[in-house]
Amino acid sequence: MKHRPWYKRYPSNFLSGTLEMPFEEKGAYSILLDLMYDKGGAIDDDHQWIARALGMSTRLWKSIREKLIIRGKLVSRDGKLTNLKFEEEIKKAVFQSKKAAENGLKGGIK
């Protein structure tokens, strides 16, 4: 699935899941999720690109990246960064989109 102009956001899940995290980690995590949803998939684990996207130094990003991985918020796999809940939500969205397309093709015909 490519670009998603919106996605379901669960504020209480985010807040409770990031309660113990410092502001910089929360902000980075939130923006990374937005980047994943915008792209429709895992993002390249490119330190310089991500640091620029987050408006921080590469050095600071590398430190935050490791903390987010340790906390289980990010997963590094095959040169990409992802989030397990994000992957579940994308699968649901793809299924719902296919189902809606199938129903639309039926055009009300029983």
Side-chain angles (χ1 to χ4, degrees), residues 7 9-13 17 20 23 30 33 41-43 48 52 57 60 71-72 75-76 81 83-84 87 92-93 99:
Y7 65 94
R9 177 117 175 174
Y10 305 94
S12 61
N13 290 358
E20 300 298 321
F23 178 76
S30 180
L33 289 173
I43 58 173
Q48 291 179 340
R52 279 194 308 274
S57 70
L60 179 56
R71 291 180 186 276
V75 175
S76 178
L81 285 178
N83 171 274
L84 299 178
E87 289 180 353
K92 285 182 198 175
K99 196 69 172 166

Side-chain angles (χ1 to χ4, degrees), residues 1 6 15 29-30 33 40 45 49 54 58 62 65 71 90 100:
M1 177 171 273
W6 67 274
L15 293 170
Y29 178 50
S30 180
L33 289 173
D45 193 4
W49 180 82
L54 297 175
T58 304
K62 287 179 181 179
R65 176 190 178 276
R71 291 180 186 276
I90 285 293

Side-chain angles (χ1 to χ4, degrees), residues 16-97:
S16 65
T18 62
L19 192 61
E20 300 298 321
M21 292 167 56
F23 178 76
E24 284 182 327
E25 288 178 37
K26 287 180 189 186
Y29 178 50
S30 180
I31 291 171
L32 289 168
L33 289 173
D34 287 345
L35 289 169
M36 289 176 208
Y37 278 102
D38 186 59
K39 183 178 177 186
I43 58 173
D44 291 335
D45 193 4
D46 177 337
H47 297 303
Q48 291 179 340
W49 180 82
I50 292 172
R52 279 194 308 274
L54 297 175
M56 63 178 58
S57 70
T58 304
R59 183 175 173 190
L60 179 56
W61 161 241
K62 287 179 181 179
S63 172
I64 289 174
R65 176 190 178 276
E66 291 308 310
K67 291 172 185 171
L68 292 174
I69 288 172
I70 289 168
R71 291 180 186 276
K73 302 298 181 188
L74 292 179
V75 175
S76 178
R77 185 185 315 136
D78 301 324
K80 303 275 188 183
L81 285 178
T82 191
N83 171 274
L84 299 178
K85 181 68 173 169
F86 157 78
E87 289 180 353
E88 290 175 24
E89 291 296 322
I90 285 293
K91 285 178 186 173
K92 285 182 198 175
V94 168
F95 175 78
Q96 290 170 346
S97 179

